Amino acid sequence: MVVADVVSVPDEVAEKFGFEKVSEEFIGECKSKAVLFRHKKTGAEVMSVSNDDENKVFGIVFRTPPHSTHIGTQCIMWVKKISLKEPFVELLKGSLNTFLNAFTYPDRTCYPVASTNTKALFPDNTYGVDSGGDPKVIPTLTFEQFQEFHRKYYHPSNARIWFYGDDDPVERLRILSEYLDVFDASSAPNESKIELQKLFPEPVRIVEKYPAGEGGDLKKKHMVCLNWLLSEKPLDLETELTLGFLDHLMLGTPASPLRKILLESGLGDAIVGGGIEDELLQPQFSIGLKGVSEEDIHKVEELIMSTLKKLSEEGFETDAVEASMNTIEFSLRENNTGSFPRGLSLMLRSIGKWIYDRDPFEPLKYEKPLKALKARIAEEGSKAVFSPLIEKFILNNPHRVTVEMRMTMGIVLVQPDPEKATRDEAAEREILEKLKASMTEEDLAELARATQELRLKQETPDPPEALKTVPSLSLKDIPKEPIHVPTEVGDIHGVKVLRHDLFTNDVLYAEVSLLEMGTKDYTFVQLNQLIGRKTGGISIYPFTSSIRGQEEPCSHIIVRGKAMAGRAEDLFNLVNCVLQEVQFTDQQRFKQFVSQSKARMENRLRGSGHGIAAARMDAKLNVAGWISDQMGGIRNGCLINLTADGKNLTNSEKYVGKFLDLLPSKSFAETATWNSRISPGNEAIVIPTQVNYVGKAANIYDTGYQLSGSAYVISKYISNTWLWDRVRVSGGAYGGFCDFDTHSGVFSFLSYRDPNLLKTLDVYDGTGDFLRELEIDDDTLTKSIIGTIGDVDAYQLPDAKGYSSLLRYLLGITEEERQKRREEILSTSLKDFKEFADAIDAVKNKGVVVAVVSLEDVEAANKECSNYFQVKKAL
């Protein structure tokens, strides 16, 4: 449907379903009609947004301010008519959702579905409490306290409910009324209100310590981050937008002055602090460095303050302001949310005001404040616009906090302490020993019985009659053919060009795939500003993937860029600059890149260790022997990929031709060879941590396994049942899953934030037997197939469709193969599950293990299984 055809909800129809219309607007920025309703009985507020987006979104948000560190806010909401242990998981198994998850904030919890730390700055309100719960305090939480928190806040009276997309707005209210009418009003809206934090009269400084690995160089392990609470009251939309531009000017690109000066100072390795954060009731600003020596802490603070003062006094370069303006305006108008549904992005934007009882329409409307800001800059100059903001909200603002270990809030002075983790564990052990000593034999026996009862409940599947209560599609509802992306293969000046004729709202998306790059001198500041002024962004990165059935991998350099179609010439000129006119001959600049990469890797080790484990296992298994790649000149290995509507594709061809004429046909590179594997053997990457990331993998193609589409269904089922129940529910890990790279044949098991090590490996090794003994009914199998199709048919915006088509072309995946795999998915049987058990036993028998773990856990593992791991200390 088009917006003009959107069905209106007459007042009498809303009244019939128990709702009253509060306000109604057409939001031109997202081409949507939005209506705010209130459920008269409970007070629940409902935002109904109607447009022509097929990727519909439904979400419920509760205001959930924690008043102690006992309770994490992510309690699962009660679901009417469904008596299951994990209703979310069942929906994941058997629906065509394009997004299903839960988000927690310090003051709210969101449950969205789509289909086709703030402690030191806020000592006086709810943000001073850790909304995720303090691990030291959580064990003292009683079930009664947990129930009371849920009863109080997870109630329709405390809810904001969101609908978005091309479905019938009348039907939305009808369905919702069935659920809301059984509730009475509660006092939750008053009890959940967030109080404002008053500004401090003077800065505060707090210094604590964090655990660091033993034996490393602790000299440059400190962090310092300056943070401000910007305002005592919420800001108006124009001020928020202007602060967003200021944030981008100061920190948004590598050429931004505050970011550039900090990184070039040599005082630290990488930026910490997220700049301006405005998702909560009051906005904050944070900036600092990590990898700082103790004697340089005050130098970092002084450099930040002096740079901000200089920016306030001198303002910003005209080209920089133009680049920021174009970058942000392009982003707002393109509304490219990637794999994130657009309706969900708008919901989260709206809820940022709505949750505090402010206008939910306001955050969706940027045209008026953007026009006003551009007019002010044109009339008064950028200095008159931005300098007063720096002075008012930062330089002259006394609400500045120095907090050690709280890197997101306050001036963060983080001092490494290699013995802290050991002390914390000893303190926890002492508490447990005292508790056990206070218990009688009867108490201990009852605890053992209750634990066994809990484990049995966790590992017992839900009964079939309960599973049938979960809404599900049938295989008849599933398209028999894969999603088709229009692709025309042609050439310009002898270079292959892929064209994808798709509606992109006048944006041209381009990818240039190359086998090498040439370089000349060019300043990175000028280039960043040019990219910002003329395009929607340009990125460059290596792409490497195995090709099924081939020894050598597919390896390319890919440049991705986007611009309004009228700027196509600028886009290709700048891509040429990126490829041929940029050379990092400055050793200091190169050192910064290395330091930043090191800092990012350290952050990944702490927060995403499973990704590190997966990459290491892949490097041990992926491609046997040697790979060699004879570079044959840039043009000889070039491929152009374009996505836009037909008219803009045709208009851009002349600029593509000019671009290709500028590429040299002569190769600058000699033949290069690399050893394609790192040494085999089980690795333990040791960091200071209380949780582990455990991986095990093997190449199942080496067993003779031939790829079938059923493997997609089986691997998803293993993740959602066996690994979910044993690694997460029973084992206590935050996540456990498997992944099958069908290009290389590597099948991987991974866990996330896992308290176990060898126990988790035992679960992985039991997967083959789990499949052999598996018995599932037709309904369960159908749900698994449908859930897999939901992954295969994941919703994509036009640029993602074009890029996915490019990757399939590079990897030699034909439309015929895609159809074959789909048919194999749809015809998956229990027999396929049992046959796959033999292939997956390769991981048990020949797999390599990589784990990111604590020193204590790996020492215990090597003691239990003699020298099982090679130990490598990373932090």
Side-chain angles (χ1 to χ4, degrees), residues 770-823:
F770 163 72
L771 293 176
R772 291 185 185 91
E773 297 166 9
L774 182 65
E775 296 297 333
I776 53 176
D777 58 27
D778 289 343
D779 284 346
T780 303
L781 180 58
T782 297
K783 284 182 180 179
S784 299
I785 292 171
I786 292 171
T788 303
I789 290 292
D791 292 342
V792 173
D793 289 352
Y795 183 80
Q796 291 184 311
L797 296 175
D799 65 313
K801 289 180 179 179
Y803 183 65
S804 295
S805 183
L806 167 66
L807 297 187
R808 286 195 290 270
Y809 186 87
L810 291 174
L811 296 172
I813 300 172
T814 64
E815 291 302 302
E816 291 75 18
E817 181 180 348
R818 294 181 71 210
Q819 182 63 44
K820 179 184 177 185
R821 298 297 171 229
R822 192 179 191 88
E823 292 170 0

Side-chain angles (χ1 to χ4, degrees), residues 250-285:
M250 295 193 298
L251 294 166
T253 75
S256 298
L258 183 54
R259 177 172 173 164
K260 182 172 179 286
I261 286 170
L262 284 173
L263 290 175
E264 289 183 352
S265 69
L267 296 173
D269 293 336
I271 297 283
V272 294
I276 289 177
E277 298 287 349
D278 58 4
E279 289 184 326
L280 302 181
L281 180 59
Q282 295 162 269
Q284 312 108 50
F285 177 72

